[in-house]
């Protein structure tokens, strides 16, 4: 049944591509993508040669007539057995808005949080460690205002609710069937069985950036976040985060730097824990079907470098090599650092786009067997492990 769904979704996306070509001059544009990848995990002994499969099929709808604007994207994920053997469908984003005479904009709906480096804090396909802690490429339900373009720009967003949960296979946690990593209720079968039932509410985010140079070549910024954690017991608590960030271009070289501090103030009972941990030393985050614990206090540091290689090689062009480094230093006694480093290259050929990523990780849910590693860690997984990702995507 899932394979039939996949084929139907692929057929829909191809049909959407033909429609988009027919309506090239229309303010309404319909497109999408189909992506496949090969994955190898050094710790996965039952798949010593890695595995290959469909990653994502998606449908994109965009509208822009100069004044009225809007965007939506719906995704179907189908992961092979080595990557969980499950499927999901979810709304990635969906908003409507307006562009004013001064080019400032307002969006209302499921929209991207403008926090930290933008549009991403990474060059690679798997993004940075900030993504897995809910501070990169995140979408919530609310309103976002962006100032007119200029040397100084600012964005302000208010999100009463998170991005919501959607559908997935029976081997997923229902509250975590979503794209963005939010604070979510734990799951007894697919989670850690803590009984925590927290949710994000009433999040306020502000961001200011200064552009320097003619291109401009440099961007300096600061971001702040404040919001509520609703625990279902009538005792809401607060969460805060602040980040300073820089993005610069030095000819073909690119640099991204970010320093981020967050603090989640939870109010859990003594039984809402696992492994004898302080129940208020971690909170459950979830996306892509599964929740995992993350330290309630931490500092994230990101340092990325890239180089754009000029020229072409046959049909291939747009070569970029990069190294993306990130670390989560947990401000909780006894919790060890989580590390992510990705060395790779991206390039294109027509409507195809490719990633080749070599990843090293420690105490990281996607790069090590230590699925609880963004909180407390196991002594059995103290070393670095490796993951290889080869991605091919057709975008239309």
């Amino acid at each position: 049944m899932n394979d039939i769904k996949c084929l139907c979704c692929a057929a829909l996306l191809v049909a959407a591509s033909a429609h988009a070509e027919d309506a090239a001059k229309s303010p309404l544009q319909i497109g999408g993508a189909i992506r496949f990848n090969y994955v190898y995990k050094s710790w996965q002994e039952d798949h010593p040669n890695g595995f290959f499969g469909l990653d994502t099929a998606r449908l994109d709808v965009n509208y822009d007539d100069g004044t009225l604007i809007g965007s939506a994207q719906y995704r179907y994920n189908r992961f092979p057995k080595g990557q969980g053997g499950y499927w999901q469908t979810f709304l990635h984003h969906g908003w409507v808005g307006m562009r004013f005479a001064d080019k400032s904009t307002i969006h209302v709906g499921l929209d991207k949080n403008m926090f930290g480096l933008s549009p991403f804090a990474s060059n690679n396909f798997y993004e940075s460690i900030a993504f897995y802690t809910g501070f990169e490429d995140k979408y919530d339900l609310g309103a976002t205002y962006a100032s007119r373009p200029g040397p100084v720009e600012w964005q302000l967003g208010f999100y009463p609710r998170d991005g919501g949960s959607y559908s997935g296979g029976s081997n997923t946690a229902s509250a975590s069937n979503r794209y963005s990593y939010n604070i979510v209720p734990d799951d007894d079968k697919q989670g850690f069985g803590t009984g925590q039932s927290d949710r994000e509410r009433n999040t306020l985010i502000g961001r200011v950036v200064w552009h320097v140079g003619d291109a401009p070549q440099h961007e300096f910024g600061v971001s702040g976040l404040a919001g509520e954690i609703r625990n279902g017991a009538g005792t809401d608590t607060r969460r805060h985060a602040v980040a300073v960030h820089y993005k610069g271009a030095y000819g073909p070289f690119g640099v991204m730097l970010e320093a981020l501090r967050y603090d989640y103030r939870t109010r859990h009972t003594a039984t809402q824990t696992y492994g004898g941990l302080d129940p208020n030393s971690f909170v459950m985050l979830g996306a892509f079907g599964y929740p995992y614990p993350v330290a309630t206090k931490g500092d994230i540091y990101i340092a990325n470098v890239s180089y754009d290689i000029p020229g072409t090689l046959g049909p291939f062009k747009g070569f970029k090599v990069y190294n993306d480094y990130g670390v989560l230093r947990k401000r909780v006694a006894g919790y060890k650092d989580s590390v992510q480093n990705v060395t790779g290259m991206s390039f294109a050929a027509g409507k195809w786009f490719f990633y080749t990523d070599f990843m090293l990780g420690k105490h990281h849910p996607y790069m090590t067997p230590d699925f609880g590693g963004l909180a407390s860690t196991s002594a059995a997984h103290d070393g670095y492990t490796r993951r290889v990702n080869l991605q091919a995507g057709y975008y239309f």
Side-chain angles (χ1 to χ4, degrees), residues 75-89:
R75 294 192 180 190
Y76 169 81
N77 287 347
R78 177 69 173 92
F79 299 114
K81 186 176 181 181
Q83 205 163 339
Y86 67 97
W87 63 270
Q88 287 181 296
T89 61

Side-chain angles (χ1 to χ4, degrees), residues 41 43 83-84 86 132 171 173 176 181 186-187 189-192 274 283-295 330 338 362-378 380-381 385 387:
K41 303 176 185 178
W43 65 92
Q83 205 163 339
Y86 67 97
Y132 302 97
N171 57 340
S176 296
Y181 277 100
D186 198 2
D187 186 89
K189 293 182 178 179
Q190 306 301 339
F192 285 70
Y274 74 101
V283 67
M284 302 301 297
L285 264 65
F288 294 94
Y290 298 93
Y292 52 70
V294 176
K330 303 154 197 170
S338 294
K362 182 164 63 172
H363 308 311
H364 191 299
Y366 278 79
M367 297 182 191
T368 75
D370 190 359
F371 199 66
L374 293 181
S376 179
T377 60
S378 168
H381 308 303
T385 47
R387 179 171 180 150

Side-chain angles (χ1 to χ4, degrees), residues 145-192:
Y145 175 82
S147 71
R148 65 181 183 180
V152 178
E153 297 181 37
W154 57 275
Q155 297 93 28
L156 183 66
F158 178 68
Y159 310 97
R161 301 182 68 87
D162 62 24
S165 301
Y166 298 87
S167 60
S170 60
N171 57 340
T172 62
S174 60
S176 296
N177 281 321
R178 59 181 69 204
Y179 176 79
S180 299
Y181 277 100
N182 294 103
I183 298 174
V184 297
D186 198 2
D187 186 89
D188 289 341
K189 293 182 178 179
Q190 306 301 339
F192 285 70

Side-chain angles (χ1 to χ4, degrees), residues 260-328:
L260 185 159
R261 168 165 286 196
Y262 71 89
D263 187 345
Y264 295 157
R265 301 177 184 178
T266 59
R267 190 171 295 173
H268 299 139
T269 65
T271 60
Q272 292 179 310
T273 187
Y274 74 101
L277 298 174
D278 176 355
N280 291 307
S281 68
F282 67 92
V283 67
M284 302 301 297
L285 264 65
F288 294 94
Y290 298 93
Y292 52 70
V294 176
T296 49
K297 296 181 180 181
D299 297 326
I300 296 173
Y301 300 101
I302 293 170
N304 306 331
V305 293
S306 64
Y307 180 80
D308 293 323
I309 302 174
T312 63
L313 181 63
F316 303 105
K317 61 181 180 179
F319 293 92
K320 180 191 288 289
V321 293
Y322 47 80
N323 192 86
D324 295 346
Y325 174 82
V327 59
L328 166 61

Side-chain angles (χ1 to χ4, degrees), residues 32-37 54-56 58 125 347-355 390-396:
I34 302 175
R35 298 194 305 231
F36 304 87
N37 67 349
L54 174 74
D55 175 77
T56 301
R58 79 185 202 199
F125 177 77
F347 54 96
K351 294 183 178 181
W352 287 90
F353 197 83
F354 304 89
Y355 287 96
L390 305 179
Q391 176 93 203
Y394 182 76
Y395 295 80
F396 48 85

Side-chain angles (χ1 to χ4, degrees), residues 198 229-238 265-269:
D198 300 329
I229 300 175
R230 189 160 296 175
N231 67 6
T235 52
D236 297 348
T237 54
R238 304 293 300 175
R265 301 177 184 178
T266 59
R267 190 171 295 173
H268 299 139
T269 65

